[in-house]
Each structure stands twice: as structure tokens, then as C-alpha cells.
């Protein structure tokens, strides 16, 4: 046989796509020709292959070798094709017969001169792309097995076949070596998620000011309520905000697959494959294309990296209004439409918006006796947040600096790591609230189960609001001149607070509690 082919996986920009590798051996002077827009790493493959063949005791064909990458019209690069190319050459030259079960396997691995396989670069991204492109069996370097095994979802049917070097790979393909594939482990994934949660929650000090903030974050996580955190510099806004994903439900299999499809756009963001919802921080200097998506070719932005998780805007008042207004479509529709010339792309962007800001230019407006700003300066500073965006926040919470007694408590090591701490109690309440929202969505056939996203024609009925609570809602709406959206947001927060307490009806107490989180500008 002088011809051989194998399926493969290629990457162009942020996109991974399925293709094919072909080798043809021809008579003539020994040479190695590549077709299909091969990059620099692929052009250097012949040197690595010749050395690996020699060290493994294999004959490198003294013929003209044509190597083709299909489709030929798209650029390709990477050293992880070495192993597949070596297998093709051996197959085409008659030195290897591949057993039937591996004829459609994806073979990945970079060869050292010794024939040993190196760890894969961006291994998780390759695994996710392989699963999305329909591969069932992956032959991978043994050095990457631990990383790849952790990345397998619990329901994944993907089979991993680890090999140490070229010789071991050939024995496996030919059926000379009996081996068992590696699968994803449900228990290990659940244990890993539990550990991640514990790490996020157990380091939080058990002090009153932080407990108040934690409860607000638990409400936001339970009902998916966009939240604004105001507080002085150093008051712990960012530190506590980063803990919000610990209160959120782990990604479902469907959500994990959605993130896997997006992960190839963000190979540097390991949190997209951790199992907990992603937490993406955005700096005010971010470009519109990096925030929303765009460029040439079109690529996803940070709002899509935050899909099914949290987009955190730190120092919100430093963001230009034009950039913040770009978020409005995603906040309303949970997706973003991108267009560049004739290219069109719709990407998911269903995220929980979390933002933090100082309340005034000096930052100490909420600290008694510390603020040096005038009323006009405070008004001008907060007006940097546009009205339409402010109206979309459903919760506003203030982070207070630690008091002297709390500093002492913190220095003495007040962190409570047991499951009796406030954080772990709140976690259990969030689980209860999530279950109640799911039941309500089933009962009323709601398309959206999260309270902060539900749009209702008859909210009082669906959210089960009693008479006193209805009267309180009306009075609060009139007092603060709330818009229709503001009133619906207030009710949604009250419903979430009731869910946290496992109450079937929203009472006046929950409405009054929700009112304390109303996003009212400080000077109003």
C-alpha cells in the first residue's frame, strides 16, 4: 500500500474543525512535500519524524512522501500532528496494519527525537473540540492523561487511550498490546466541585459586615439578579464578589457542552472547564471587540466567556458609557449578534452581571466622617453609570470597611471552615431556592426558571404574593418612583428571599427586605 488517510482535527483562529490527513508514497528521490497551507511547526515535522523512526528501530521510507491536509484551503499548524503523520507513513509503507476499532480514532502527540511523546499544548481545548466534532476514541500522550481525564464530563462517552511513545502507540494500534480506555469519572468530578466550593467559602471570615455581603451575594446567585456593589477602596468588594460562583449551581451537562463549544475561543481561561460557572473579570480599558466580540475573523468576547456564569465589571464608573451600553442586548436577549462584512455570527451570552464601584470620587461616601466630596461631585460621579444600565441592576449592596473589633477578630483567625459557618448555611438555602424555582417553572410552564429573568403578565399570582405584600410593593414603588421594570425587579428579589427561607408565599417581610437592596442612587 502506498496511500493512507486518517481523520484529524484542525484549528483556524479560534475555530476547531474536522479534516483529514493523507499520505502518498511515490517513486523518486527521497523528499517530503507538504500540501494544505502547513505552518512552521508542521514544516519541521520531517526532522522530528526521521529521528523518532531511527530511535524506535523503524525504517523511514526512502521515497518521495506527499503529505496533504484537507481541506487544503484553510491554514493549519501545530506539532501535535507528529504521531498521526508517523502512523500514516508506516501504514502507507506497509509497516503497520491498524486494527478496526482505531481506524476512526483521533491521534494526537508531538514526537521528541527519542520517540517519546510530549504533553499536549492546550490539551483541554483539543479534547473539547474532539468531542464536539464527533470523535469517540483519542490516542493521546501519557503525560497529558491526568489533565484530560479531569476535563472529561461525567456523561462523556469519549475514550482516551494513553501511550508513552511511538512504539507503544504502534503496539496499541496493531492490537499487540491489550489496554483499557480511560473514561470520565462522575465521583471525581463531584469531589472536585465540592473541593472548589469549599476553597471559595471556607476562607471567608465569620464577621458581621462580611456576613451581610455574603447574604446579598447568595440572593443574587439564587435568583440570578444583576448586582451592584458600592464600597470604599479596600472594603473587600472584589474579594467577596469572586466567591459568588460558589453559591451557584454546578453546570448541567447541557451548559457544560455550551461552554465547551466556546472554550476554543478562550484557551487561556481554564475556568471554562472547571464545572462551576465561570467568573470573568473585565477591566475598564477593554476594547469593544474584546468585550462583545468581533475582529477579523469574528471571535467571541468576554460576555460569551461569561456565558452561564458571572461577568464582573470592577471599577464600573471608570467604564465609558458607550462600552456599557453594548451590554444591553446581551442583558435582554442572552445572546449577541456580530457582523463583519458578509460574516454573521450569533453567540450565547447569558451571564449574571456583577459590578463594583466606589460611591464617590474619594471613595468614602459611605464611611461616616471620611468623605471629602461635595454633593455635586457625588452626583456627577455616579452619573457615569447610564440610566438604562442602572435600571437593570436588581440589587445594590454596600461593602463596609471593617470595624476595630472586627480587625481584631480577623487577626485572631476567625475564619470558620466547618459546614456550620454562615457561608455554608447560605449555600444550603440557595439549593432550596433553586429547587423551588425549578418547581415553579414546571408548574406554570415558564421558559425561564430564575426569578431575576422571569417576565410575567401576572407576577402576583405566579410569585404567590399575599395582600399585605402587594400593598407594600405599591407604596415602595410610589415612594421611589420606580419604573415598571423596577417594580418587577423588586418583586423578583422578594420572591428569591422567600425561596431562600422555603416560603410558599411572599409576605410583607420579604418585600421590605428586598427594598433594602433597591438600586437607588445615593443622592436620591
Amino acid at each position: 500500500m502506498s496511500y493512507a488517510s486518517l481523520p484529524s482535527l484542525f484549528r483556524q483562529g479560534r475555530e476547531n474543525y474536522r479534516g483529514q490527513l493523507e499520505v502518498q508514497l511515490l517513486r523518486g528521490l527521497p523528499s517530503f512535500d507538504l500540501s494544505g497551507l502547513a505552518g512552521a511547526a508542521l514544516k519541521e515535522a520531517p526532522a522530528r519524524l526521521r529521528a523518532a523512526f531511527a530511535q524506535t528501530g523503524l525504517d523511514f521510507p526512502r521515497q518521495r512522501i506527499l503529505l496533504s491536509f484537507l481541506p487544503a484551503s484553510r491554514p493549519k499548524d501545530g506539532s501535535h500532528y507528529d504521531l498521526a503523520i508517523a502512523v500514516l507513513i508506516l501504514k502507507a509503507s506497509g509497516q503497520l496494519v491498524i486494527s478496526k476499532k482505531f481506524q476512526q480514532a483521533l491521534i494526537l502527540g508531538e514526537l521528541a527525537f527519542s520517540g517519546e511523546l510530549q504533553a499536549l499544548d492546550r490539551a483541554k481545548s483539543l479534547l473539547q473540540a474532539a468531542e464536539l466534532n464527533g470523535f469517540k476514541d483519542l490516542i493521546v500522550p501519557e503525560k497529558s492523561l491526568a489533565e484530560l481525564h479531569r476535563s472529561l464530563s461525567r456523561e462523556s462517552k469519549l475514550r482516551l487511550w494513553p501511550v508513552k511513545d511511538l512504539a507503544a502507540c504502534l503496539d496499541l494500534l496493531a492490537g499487540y498490546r491489550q489496554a483499557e480506555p480511560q473514561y470520565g469519572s462522575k465521583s471525581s468530578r463531584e469531589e472536585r466541585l465540592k473541593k472548589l466550593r469549599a476553597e471559595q467559602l471556607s476562607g471567608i471570615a465569620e464577621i458581621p459586615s462580611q456576613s451581610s455581603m455574603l447574604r446579598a451575594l447568595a440572593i443574587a446567585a439564587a435568583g440570578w439578579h444583576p448586582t451592584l456593589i458600592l464600597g470604599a477602596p479596600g472594603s473587600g468588594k472584589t474579594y467577596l464578589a469572586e466567591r459568588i460562583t460558589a453559591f451557584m449551581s454546578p453546570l448541567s451537562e447541557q451548559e457544560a457542552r455550551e461552554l465547551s463549544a466556546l472554550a476554543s475561543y478562550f484557551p487561556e481561561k481554564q475556568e471554562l472547564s472547571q464545572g462551576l460557572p465561570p467568573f470573568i473579570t473585565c477591566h475598564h480599558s477593554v476594547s469593544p471587540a474584546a468585550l462583545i466580540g468581533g475582529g477579523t475573523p469574528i471571535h467571541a468576547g468576554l460576555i460569551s466567556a461569561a456565558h452561564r456564569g458571572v461577568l464582573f465589571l470592577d471599577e464600573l464608573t471608570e467604564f465609558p458609557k458607550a462600552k456599557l451600553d453594548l451590554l444591553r442586548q446581551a442583558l435582554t436577549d442572552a445572546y449577541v449578534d456580530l457582523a463583519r462584512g458578509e460574516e454573521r455570527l450569533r453567540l450565547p451570552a447569558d451571564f449574571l452581571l456583577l459590578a463594583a464601584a466606589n460611591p464617590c470620587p474619594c471613595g468614602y461616601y459611605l464611611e461616616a466622617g471620611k468623605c471629602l466630596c461635595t454633593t455635586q461631585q457625588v452626583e456627577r460621579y455616579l452619573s457615569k453609570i447610564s440610566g438604562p444600565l442602572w435600571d437593570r441592576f436588581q440589587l445594590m449592596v454596600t461593602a463596609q470597611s471593617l470595624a476595630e473589633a472586627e480587625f481584631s477578630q480577623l487577626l485572631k483567625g476567625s475564619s470558620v471552615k466547618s459546614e456550620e459557618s454562615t457561608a455554608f448555611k447560605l449555600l444550603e438555602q440557595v439549593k432550596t431556592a433553586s429547587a423551588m424555582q425549578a418547581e415553579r417553572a414546571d408548574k406554570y410552564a415558564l421558559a425561564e426558571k430564575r426569578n431575576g429573568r422571569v417576565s410575567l403578565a401576572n407576577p402576583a399570582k405566579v410569585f404567590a404574593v399575599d395582600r399585605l405584600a402587594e400593598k407594600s410593593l405599591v407604596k415602595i414603588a410610589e415612594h421611589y418612583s420606580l419604573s415598571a421594570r423596577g417594580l418587577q425587579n423588586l418583586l423578583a428579589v422578594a420572591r428569591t428571599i422567600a425561596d431562600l427561607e422555603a416560603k410558599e408565599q411572599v409576605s410583607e417581610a420579604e418585600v421590605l427586605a428586598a427594598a433594602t437592596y433597591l438600586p437607588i442612587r445615593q443622592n436620591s
Side-chain angles (χ1 to χ4, degrees):
M1 179 184 292
S2 60
Y3 170 83
S5 67
L6 281 173
S8 192
L9 188 68
F10 300 118
R11 182 182 183 88
Q12 182 179 4
R14 301 290 189 179
E15 180 188 358
N16 290 288
Y17 61 95
R18 188 167 179 146
Q20 187 169 308
L21 289 174
E22 293 183 317
V23 162
Q24 177 74 55
L25 304 183
L26 301 175
R27 293 179 181 178
L29 293 174
S31 62
F32 204 123
D33 299 324
L34 284 74
S35 170
L37 299 180
L42 284 170
K43 290 176 181 178
E44 295 174 350
R48 294 190 294 272
L49 293 173
R50 286 190 172 93
F53 272 50
Q55 289 295 323
T56 311
L58 300 167
D59 293 328
F60 196 84
R62 297 182 60 79
Q63 296 173 262
R64 184 184 179 192
I65 301 173
L66 301 181
L67 174 62
S68 175
F69 304 91
L70 299 177
S73 59
R74 305 178 72 173
K76 306 159 193 78
D77 202 8
S79 57
H80 55 274
Y81 302 108
D82 287 359
L83 185 58
I85 296 170
V87 167
L88 278 177
I89 291 174
L90 291 167
K91 182 180 177 183
S93 62
Q95 299 180 67
L96 173 67
V97 177
I98 301 177
S99 63
K100 187 176 180 180
K101 69 178 179 180
F102 291 120
Q103 289 179 3
Q104 293 301 314
L106 177 62
I107 302 174
L108 300 171
E110 175 186 341
L111 285 169
F113 279 6
S114 63
E116 187 177 357
L117 290 169
Q118 306 304 298
L120 292 170
D121 183 31
R122 297 178 179 175
K124 292 181 181 180
S125 177
L126 285 170
L127 181 142
Q128 293 160 350
E131 193 162 17
L132 286 171
N133 281 275
F135 287 98
K136 301 298 182 184
D137 294 276
L138 264 68
I139 297 175
V140 296
E142 199 173 80
K143 291 180 178 179
S144 294
L145 179 61
E147 180 183 4
L148 292 171
H149 191 264
R150 288 194 301 269
S151 303
L152 283 175
S153 63
R154 57 185 170 181
E155 301 299 330
S156 174
K157 298 298 188 294
L158 205 60
R159 297 181 288 265
L160 299 181
W161 301 86
V163 289
K164 181 181 180 181
D165 51 28
L166 177 56
C169 177
L170 300 181
D171 287 345
L172 177 69
L173 291 174
Y176 298 145
R177 179 168 69 91
Q178 297 301 316
E180 294 296 326
Q182 301 286 325
Y183 293 92
S185 170
K186 179 176 180 179
S187 60
S188 64
R189 179 180 185 271
E190 291 176 345
E191 289 170 4
R192 187 171 71 255
L193 292 177
K194 185 177 180 180
K195 183 179 179 181
L196 283 170
R197 265 199 173 131
E199 288 174 354
Q200 287 182 300
L201 297 180
S202 62
I204 302 174
E206 188 78 356
I207 52 181
S209 59
Q210 288 191 340
S211 296
S212 175
M213 266 286 293
L214 281 179
R215 177 165 175 78
L217 292 177
I219 294 171
W224 208 263
H225 302 289
T227 301
L228 174 62
I229 305 171
L230 295 179
S235 58
K237 300 188 294 294
T238 302
Y239 174 79
L240 288 170
E242 290 172 346
R243 270 70 190 160
I244 191 171
T245 55
F247 292 118
M248 301 172 77
S249 300
L251 297 173
S252 66
E253 289 303 317
Q254 174 62 31
E255 291 168 341
R257 282 193 291 271
E258 290 176 4
L259 280 183
S260 293
L262 293 166
S264 60
Y265 289 97
F266 310 99
E268 72 284 358
K269 294 191 179 298
Q270 299 298 322
E271 61 266 36
L272 296 187
S273 54
Q274 290 294 318
L276 283 178
F279 183 92
I280 304 298
T281 300
C282 184
H283 190 263
H284 60 80
S285 63
V286 67
S287 68
L291 177 62
I292 302 299
T296 306
I298 292 180
H299 60 81
L302 290 176
I303 62 171
S304 292
H307 181 60
R308 301 300 187 188
V310 177
L311 179 68
F312 179 55
L313 307 182
D314 205 357
E315 304 296 343
L316 182 65
T317 50
E318 299 303 318
F319 280 80
K321 282 186 179 180
K323 288 182 185 177
L324 294 178
D325 286 342
L326 293 173
L327 299 173
R328 290 166 63 179
Q329 182 196 4
L331 289 171
T332 302
D333 302 328
Y335 62 81
V336 61
D337 288 316
L338 303 174
R340 292 293 181 276
E342 296 182 358
E343 192 175 5
R344 298 288 187 275
L345 187 63
R346 172 170 289 184
L347 291 171
D350 185 9
F351 57 85
L352 171 60
L353 179 63
L354 188 61
N358 294 335
C360 65
C362 78
Y364 295 99
Y365 182 81
L366 302 174
E367 307 286 328
K370 291 185 180 180
C371 183
L372 303 175
C373 303
T374 65
T375 302
Q376 291 76 16
Q377 287 175 317
V378 174
E379 291 177 2
R380 189 161 54 248
Y381 188 76
L382 290 179
S383 68
K384 293 180 180 180
I385 306 172
S386 67
L389 181 64
W390 188 287
D391 200 36
R392 280 172 167 78
F393 286 113
Q394 298 179 13
L395 290 175
M396 187 177 75
V397 59
T398 58
Q400 298 292 333
S401 297
L402 299 183
E404 183 178 346
E406 293 175 331
F407 272 117
S408 176
Q409 190 177 355
L410 184 63
L411 290 171
K412 290 177 182 178
S414 63
S415 293
V416 178
K417 297 185 178 181
S418 73
E419 296 192 1
E420 298 302 316
S421 69
T422 298
F424 284 99
K425 289 178 181 177
L426 286 170
L427 177 57
E428 293 305 313
Q429 288 183 307
V430 171
K431 291 178 181 178
T432 299
S434 297
M436 292 187 69
Q437 290 174 88
E439 290 175 7
R440 191 178 304 116
D442 289 341
K443 179 180 179 180
Y444 292 100
L446 303 177
E448 176 59 72
K449 67 181 180 180
R450 298 165 296 187
N451 292 333
R453 289 295 182 87
V454 174
S455 180
L456 301 170
N458 189 352
K461 177 184 177 182
V462 175
F463 280 166
V465 184
D466 68 24
R467 286 292 183 87
L468 284 176
E470 283 188 40
K471 291 180 180 179
S472 293
L473 283 167
V474 172
K475 288 180 181 178
I476 293 169
E478 290 178 348
H479 179 75
Y480 289 107
S481 300
L482 297 183
S483 63
R485 176 186 286 156
L487 178 59
Q488 171 115 348
N489 290 346
L490 176 63
L491 175 54
V493 173
R495 180 63 261 178
T496 298
I497 294 173
D499 288 340
L500 288 168
E501 302 295 334
K503 293 182 177 180
E504 292 297 332
Q505 275 199 318
V506 176
S507 68
E508 185 179 29
E510 284 77 56
V511 172
L512 295 177
T516 64
Y517 297 111
L518 272 174
I520 304 299
R521 295 184 192 265
Q522 296 299 310
N523 56 299
S524 297

